[in-house]
Amino acid sequence: MVLTHVQSDEAAASAAVFASRYVQEPVPSYELGEKSISKDAAYQIIHDELLLDGSPRLNLASFVTTWMEPECDRLILEGMNKNYADMDEYPVTTELQNRCVNIIARLFNAPVGTGETAVGVGTVGSSEAIMLAGLAFKRRWQNRRKAEGKPHDKPNIVTGANVQVCWEKFARYFEVELKEVKLSEGCYVMDPDKAVEMVDENTICVAAILGSTLTGEFEDVKRLNDLLVAKNKQTRWDTPIHVDAASGGFIAPFLYPELEWDFRLPLVKSINVSGHKYGLVYPGVGWVIWRNREDLPDELIFHINYLGADQPTFTLNFSKGSSQIIAQYYQFLRLGFEGYKNVMENCVESARTLREGLLRTGRFDVISKEDGVPLVAFTFRGIRDGSPAFKLSANLRRFGWIVPAYTMPANLEHMTVLRVVVREDFGRPLAERFLSHVRMALSELDLAAKGPVPKMRLTIELGPARSAEEEASVRVVKREAVSGHRSVSLVSGKTKGVC
């Protein structure tokens, strides 16, 4: 299948800039080889090419888990050939998913009684989870508008400008207007007051973020809920809340149990979380949980009968591996509440070490807060030009570290931020090593800012020693500035040389 599209002049220009920057040589036209090669040769060819990838452990840009215990690695390998969609063939794997859904729902304080089953599903990540939650909100809003005899063709979602790109994808793919609350200096998350002001009768939900991608900060879901309750009472609307807890959903219950952000708030109807972030599982698993069954319209659910029981399914894709579901259940079973809490506390301690070390340089302002996702987002102090941040990012890459530098969204485009995400496998020794490399990279930037080191050409005269006790005499005859150096061969005896 060939996909074609029409680019605007601006998009074409951006693509050309990207191509000129990253595509240095024509891309080879790969074709399937006529003959087979040995398995050892195929392995070695691919293995050697992959050596040029960055090290996942040193990738400080990513929230995604890069280390798991060997025992879990074995379970992942054992489950790789199981297609999760084949529920008839793999009922135990389906049961493990259902256990995970119930564990997460209770962790998020869903109103699930003893013996009751929570409403939720495993996904390939938070992007799919958000798509499913958004579809549920859109369908419920449309059904309500149809019943009231009102137009239902212009739905919108209210979010902050700091949302992850998957929200923009949902809005574009499923024809929903995205109304973004702009950020401001010192406030890098959605302002609940401004968000509620943007809500109208066509708003299918307000999306709050528990752990902003930009700074790791938790948005004030409690205030958002209280403001919306008042507005709904005044307008007789029924605008709900979705919480995007992709990063913070497996942090808040263990570190901030008193924080009200989840199903304890009546307007929170669904929550997504990434198992492959602080759920501590390799990439490929996310979760979405609904408050009650009525929050997920039944017409979106497909029902499959297996082993004499009804199995509802609600996903965008069909076939997917079972390994990550199994791995998530392993972590729940292995760590328990105590283990997850210990991991998160260690991450916070490593983030604190980074924060203090960066501030000690006197070169940075830290814009992230200590409460929230364990990361450090920082800017160069007193510098509005973003080039030093990008240069520092490039210099750190030479040590193996991958540290993103990025500009902030609308209203704050003048800010260029660097961000270091702390994961389970980034402990204090690595944090201290990283700080030493930051100091080295800063010194290199300072030297480069001063311009090239001035070079001098000296014409000297060498004379023989007057006695055995004395050294040969050296006399500078001429000094002049030059743009380069030339090497000179010295011969014995009196001579002139350039060095």
Side-chain angles (χ1 to χ4, degrees):
M1 179 175 65
V2 178
L3 299 178
T4 61
H5 67 285
V6 178
Q7 283 186 315
S8 65
D9 292 340
E10 182 180 354
S14 299
V17 170
F18 179 86
S20 65
R21 185 175 300 171
Y22 295 103
V23 181
Q24 304 298 327
E25 298 178 357
V27 179
S29 178
Y30 290 104
E31 297 178 356
L32 187 64
E34 293 184 6
K35 297 183 178 181
S36 303
I37 62 175
S38 71
K39 60 180 185 293
D40 293 331
Y43 168 83
Q44 198 64 47
I45 289 170
I46 299 173
H47 171 80
D48 291 347
E49 281 201 75
L50 290 175
L51 290 175
L52 299 177
D53 270 347
S55 168
R57 293 280 302 277
L58 302 184
N59 180 7
L60 306 184
S62 178
F63 294 79
V64 173
T65 297
T66 53
W67 178 86
M68 296 189 75
E69 292 176 326
E71 291 77 9
C72 192
D73 288 345
R74 290 205 300 271
L75 283 174
I76 289 172
L77 288 173
E78 292 169 6
M80 285 184 69
N81 59 352
K82 291 182 180 180
N83 183 0
Y84 177 75
D86 295 336
M87 298 180 182
D88 289 341
E89 290 79 2
Y90 310 120
V92 175
T93 302
T94 301
E95 171 61 21
L96 295 186
Q97 186 222 224
N98 294 339
R99 292 179 192 175
C100 289
V101 166
N102 281 276
I103 289 170
I104 296 169
R106 287 176 169 82
L107 197 63
F108 294 170
N109 294 293
V112 181
T114 303
E116 293 182 346
T117 301
V119 183
V121 66
T123 63
V124 295
S126 275
S127 291
E128 183 189 6
I130 284 168
M131 303 284 176
L132 298 177
L135 284 171
F137 282 119
K138 182 181 178 182
R139 185 58 61 91
R140 289 188 73 244
W141 174 82
Q142 286 176 328
N143 290 344
R144 185 171 65 252
R145 298 284 289 183
K146 289 177 182 178
E148 296 171 352
K150 296 179 180 179
H152 52 84
D153 59 337
K154 294 182 179 180
N156 69 66
I157 285 181
V158 176
T159 70
N162 55 315
V163 291
Q164 216 264 359
V165 69
C166 60
W167 283 99
E168 298 178 34
K169 289 182 178 180
F170 168 77
R172 188 177 302 178
Y173 295 166
F174 296 103
E175 299 180 326
V176 176
E177 180 189 1
L178 191 66
K179 300 171 70 173
E180 295 184 342
V181 179
K182 293 187 182 300
L183 310 184
S184 59
E185 196 79 40
C187 181
Y188 308 116
V189 293
M190 180 179 70
D191 183 331
D193 294 78
K194 293 179 180 179
V196 173
E197 289 175 5
M198 297 175 71
V199 170
D200 59 32
E201 62 180 350
N202 293 321
T203 302
I204 64 175
C205 77
V206 180
I209 304 176
L210 196 77
S212 170
T213 300
L214 302 178
T215 63
E217 186 176 347
F218 292 169
E219 292 182 342
D220 192 346
V221 188
K222 175 69 164 59
R223 177 162 179 77
L224 176 64
N225 177 86
D226 295 344
L227 291 171
L228 266 181
V229 166
K231 185 157 189 172
N232 285 342
K233 184 177 180 180
Q234 176 188 358
T235 61
R236 295 188 179 182
W237 297 337
D238 188 22
T239 308
I241 296 172
H242 174 86
V243 179
D244 179 357
S247 298
F250 283 121
I251 295 173
F254 305 106
L255 297 184
Y256 314 106
E258 302 304 317
L259 180 67
E260 293 185 47
W261 64 273
D262 52 18
F263 292 117
R264 285 171 288 183
L265 303 175
L267 290 184
V268 174
K269 302 300 183 181
S270 56
I271 302 172
N272 69 276
V273 64
S274 292
H276 57 224
K277 292 181 180 176
Y278 290 94
L280 307 180
V281 179
Y282 289 138
V285 62
W287 304 91
V288 57
I289 310 295
W290 283 272
R291 182 185 197 89
N292 296 305
R293 289 193 178 277
E294 53 265 30
D295 295 315
L296 177 57
D298 193 60
E299 62 262 36
L300 296 178
I301 304 173
F302 293 85
H303 293 266
I304 300 173
N305 293 323
Y306 83 105
L307 299 179
D310 177 69
Q311 177 65 50
T313 176
F314 178 37
T315 58
L316 291 181
N317 66 306
F318 191 67
S319 294
K320 67 177 180 180
S322 298
S323 294
Q324 269 60 26
I325 299 290
I326 296 168
Q328 184 74 83
Y329 186 67
Y330 171 88
Q331 292 290 51
F332 288 160
L333 186 66
R334 164 79 173 89
L335 296 175
F337 193 95
E338 177 190 38
Y340 268 96
K341 183 177 181 180
N342 290 338
V343 169
M344 302 310 153
E345 287 177 341
N346 289 338
C347 289
V348 169
E349 184 60 34
S350 295
R352 186 175 295 116
T353 298
L354 276 179
R355 182 188 186 92
E356 293 171 354
L358 290 168
L359 290 174
R360 276 197 301 270
T361 67
R363 304 290 293 275
F364 303 112
D365 289 321
V366 175
I367 66 170
S368 55
K369 297 184 178 181
E370 292 196 57
D371 293 343
V373 177
L375 62 78
V376 183
F378 55 101
T379 63
F380 272 86
R381 181 172 296 171
I383 299 178
R384 293 180 70 89
D385 176 18
S387 59
F390 291 104
K391 290 177 181 177
L392 178 60
S393 176
N395 278 10
L396 289 171
R397 190 68 181 255
R398 296 193 296 103
F399 297 101
W401 303 106
I402 302 173
V403 179
Y406 50 89
T407 54
M408 295 288 275
N411 269 21
L412 296 174
E413 298 97 331
H414 63 279
M415 292 184 62
T416 304
V417 179
L418 294 126
R419 187 195 66 210
V420 175
V421 178
V422 176
R423 300 185 303 271
E424 179 186 11
D425 55 355
F426 186 81
R428 188 181 184 92
L430 274 181
E432 292 176 345
R433 178 58 61 89
F434 171 77
L435 288 170
S436 71
H437 288 162
V438 168
R439 292 190 289 268
M440 293 169 65
L442 287 173
S443 297
E444 293 174 358
L445 287 180
D446 292 340
L447 285 174
K450 294 177 181 177
V453 178
K455 301 174 183 178
M456 298 290 293
R457 176 160 50 200
L458 303 179
T459 304
I460 61 174
E461 186 179 85
L462 302 179
R466 298 178 182 177
S467 65
E469 290 78 17
E470 295 182 0
E471 297 180 352
S473 63
V474 178
R475 186 169 69 89
V476 177
V477 178
K478 185 179 179 181
R479 288 186 175 89
E480 57 182 326
V482 295
S483 58
H485 291 296
R486 288 187 298 165
S487 59
V488 176
S489 299
L490 297 180
V491 295
S492 60
K494 186 176 180 178
T495 184
K496 290 184 177 181
V498 179
C499 66

